PDB file of all heavy atoms in Angstrom:
ATOM      1  N   LEU A 265      -1.553 -26.715-109.447  1.00 92.00           N
ATOM      2  CA  LEU A 265      -1.543 -27.017-108.054  1.00 92.00           C
ATOM      3  C   LEU A 265      -0.103 -27.279-107.500  1.00 92.00           C
ATOM      4  O   LEU A 265       0.259 -26.826-106.412  1.00 92.00           O
ATOM      5  CB  LEU A 265      -2.413 -28.263-107.762  1.00 92.00           C
ATOM      6  CG  LEU A 265      -3.877 -28.058-107.987  1.00 92.00           C
ATOM      7  CD1 LEU A 265      -4.616 -29.404-107.865  1.00 92.00           C
ATOM      8  CD2 LEU A 265      -4.505 -27.074-106.990  1.00 92.00           C
ATOM      9  N   ARG A 266       0.691 -27.971-108.307  1.00 90.00           N
ATOM     10  CA  ARG A 266       2.044 -28.318-107.878  1.00 90.00           C
ATOM     11  C   ARG A 266       2.881 -27.050-107.751  1.00 90.00           C
ATOM     12  O   ARG A 266       3.551 -26.782-106.776  1.00 90.00           O
ATOM     13  CB  ARG A 266       2.757 -29.239-108.873  1.00 90.00           C
ATOM     14  CG  ARG A 266       4.194 -29.567-108.564  1.00 90.00           C
ATOM     15  CD  ARG A 266       4.813 -30.519-109.593  1.00 90.00           C
ATOM     16  NE  ARG A 266       4.686 -30.037-110.931  1.00 90.00           N
ATOM     17  CZ  ARG A 266       5.466 -29.080-111.468  1.00 90.00           C
ATOM     18  NH1 ARG A 266       6.438 -28.529-110.725  1.00 90.00           N
ATOM     19  NH2 ARG A 266       5.341 -28.687-112.742  1.00 90.00           N
ATOM     20  N   ARG A 267       2.892 -26.209-108.793  1.00 89.00           N
ATOM     21  CA  ARG A 267       3.695 -24.984-108.749  1.00 89.00           C
ATOM     22  C   ARG A 267       3.283 -24.015-107.685  1.00 89.00           C
ATOM     23  O   ARG A 267       4.096 -23.398-106.936  1.00 89.00           O
ATOM     24  CB  ARG A 267       3.717 -24.297-110.116  1.00 89.00           C
ATOM     25  CG  ARG A 267       4.433 -25.032-111.198  1.00 89.00           C
ATOM     26  CD  ARG A 267       4.477 -24.242-112.547  1.00 89.00           C
ATOM     27  NE  ARG A 267       5.193 -23.004-112.371  1.00 89.00           N
ATOM     28  CZ  ARG A 267       5.309 -22.091-113.380  1.00 89.00           C
ATOM     29  NH1 ARG A 267       4.835 -22.367-114.578  1.00 89.00           N
ATOM     30  NH2 ARG A 267       5.993 -20.958-113.170  1.00 89.00           N
ATOM     31  N   PHE A 268       1.937 -23.890-107.505  1.00 89.00           N
ATOM     32  CA  PHE A 268       1.412 -22.995-106.525  1.00 89.00           C
ATOM     33  C   PHE A 268       1.820 -23.448-105.113  1.00 89.00           C
ATOM     34  O   PHE A 268       2.257 -22.666-104.263  1.00 89.00           O
ATOM     35  CB  PHE A 268      -0.113 -22.885-106.615  1.00 89.00           C
ATOM     36  CG  PHE A 268      -0.657 -21.698-105.855  1.00 89.00           C
ATOM     37  CD1 PHE A 268      -0.824 -20.461-106.538  1.00 89.00           C
ATOM     38  CD2 PHE A 268      -1.067 -21.821-104.584  1.00 89.00           C
ATOM     39  CE1 PHE A 268      -1.376 -19.385-105.861  1.00 89.00           C
ATOM     40  CE2 PHE A 268      -1.625 -20.714-103.851  1.00 89.00           C
ATOM     41  CZ  PHE A 268      -1.795 -19.508-104.528  1.00 89.00           C
ATOM     42  N   ALA A 269       1.689 -24.759-104.866  1.00 87.00           N
ATOM     43  CA  ALA A 269       2.029 -25.329-103.570  1.00 87.00           C
ATOM     44  C   ALA A 269       3.560 -25.170-103.311  1.00 87.00           C
ATOM     45  O   ALA A 269       3.993 -24.863-102.137  1.00 87.00           O
ATOM     46  CB  ALA A 269       1.628 -26.764-103.465  1.00 87.00           C
ATOM     47  N   GLU A 270       4.373 -25.402-104.301  1.00 86.00           N
ATOM     48  CA  GLU A 270       5.823 -25.279-104.137  1.00 86.00           C
ATOM     49  C   GLU A 270       6.239 -23.874-103.792  1.00 86.00           C
ATOM     50  O   GLU A 270       7.174 -23.632-103.020  1.00 86.00           O
ATOM     51  CB  GLU A 270       6.507 -25.763-105.446  1.00 86.00           C
ATOM     52  CG  GLU A 270       6.524 -27.225-105.645  1.00 86.00           C
ATOM     53  CD  GLU A 270       7.168 -27.578-107.041  1.00 86.00           C
ATOM     54  OE1 GLU A 270       7.355 -26.728-107.857  1.00 86.00           O
ATOM     55  OE2 GLU A 270       7.316 -28.782-107.225  1.00 86.00           O
ATOM     56  N   GLU A 271       5.561 -22.897-104.387  1.00 84.00           N
ATOM     57  CA  GLU A 271       5.932 -21.485-104.202  1.00 84.00           C
ATOM     58  C   GLU A 271       5.359 -20.874-102.929  1.00 84.00           C
ATOM     59  O   GLU A 271       5.872 -19.957-102.361  1.00 84.00           O
ATOM     60  CB  GLU A 271       5.534 -20.630-105.399  1.00 84.00           C
ATOM     61  CG  GLU A 271       6.271 -21.008-106.634  1.00 84.00           C
ATOM     62  CD  GLU A 271       5.912 -20.146-107.823  1.00 84.00           C
ATOM     63  OE1 GLU A 271       5.213 -19.107-107.659  1.00 84.00           O
ATOM     64  OE2 GLU A 271       6.258 -20.525-108.952  1.00 84.00           O
ATOM     65  N   THR A 272       4.132 -21.387-102.468  1.00 81.00           N
ATOM     66  CA  THR A 272       3.424 -20.721-101.368  1.00 81.00           C
ATOM     67  C   THR A 272       3.194 -21.639-100.178  1.00 81.00           C
ATOM     68  O   THR A 272       2.948 -21.094 -99.095  1.00 81.00           O
ATOM     69  CB  THR A 272       2.099 -20.198-101.824  1.00 81.00           C
ATOM     70  OG1 THR A 272       1.207 -21.273-102.089  1.00 81.00           O
ATOM     71  CG2 THR A 272       2.184 -19.314-103.072  1.00 81.00           C
ATOM     72  N   GLY A 273       3.199 -22.919-100.391  1.00 81.00           N
ATOM     73  CA  GLY A 273       2.938 -23.835 -99.270  1.00 81.00           C
ATOM     74  C   GLY A 273       1.500 -24.177 -99.056  1.00 81.00           C
ATOM     75  O   GLY A 273       1.152 -24.889 -98.120  1.00 81.00           O
ATOM     76  N   HIS A 274       0.600 -23.671 -99.904  1.00 83.00           N
ATOM     77  CA  HIS A 274      -0.801 -23.987 -99.793  1.00 83.00           C
ATOM     78  C   HIS A 274      -1.429 -23.968-101.169  1.00 83.00           C
ATOM     79  O   HIS A 274      -0.756 -23.841-102.232  1.00 83.00           O
ATOM     80  CB  HIS A 274      -1.520 -23.022 -98.873  1.00 83.00           C
ATOM     81  CG  HIS A 274      -1.423 -21.596 -99.238  1.00 83.00           C
ATOM     82  ND1 HIS A 274      -0.469 -20.744 -98.679  1.00 83.00           N
ATOM     83  CD2 HIS A 274      -2.074 -20.842-100.196  1.00 83.00           C
ATOM     84  CE1 HIS A 274      -0.569 -19.560 -99.206  1.00 83.00           C
ATOM     85  NE2 HIS A 274      -1.502 -19.583-100.136  1.00 83.00           N
ATOM     86  N   SER A 275      -2.734 -24.217-101.247  1.00 91.00           N
ATOM     87  CA  SER A 275      -3.475 -24.374-102.547  1.00 91.00           C
ATOM     88  C   SER A 275      -4.056 -23.062-102.977  1.00 91.00           C
ATOM     89  O   SER A 275      -4.296 -22.146-102.120  1.00 91.00           O
ATOM     90  CB  SER A 275      -4.546 -25.416-102.414  1.00 91.00           C
ATOM     91  OG  SER A 275      -5.587 -24.948-101.569  1.00 91.00           O
ATOM     92  N   PRO A 276      -4.408 -22.849-104.283  1.00 92.00           N
ATOM     93  CA  PRO A 276      -5.122 -21.726-104.725  1.00 92.00           C
ATOM     94  C   PRO A 276      -6.413 -21.519-103.978  1.00 92.00           C
ATOM     95  O   PRO A 276      -6.819 -20.359-103.716  1.00 92.00           O
ATOM     96  CB  PRO A 276      -5.333 -21.929-106.187  1.00 92.00           C
ATOM     97  CG  PRO A 276      -4.217 -22.913-106.598  1.00 92.00           C
ATOM     98  CD  PRO A 276      -4.043 -23.779-105.387  1.00 92.00           C
TER      99      PRO A 276
END
Side-chain angles (χ1 to χ4, degrees):
L265 292 174
R266 176 181 55 78
R267 290 185 61 181
F268 196 90
E270 287 175 349
E271 293 180 14
T272 70
H274 56 262
S275 69

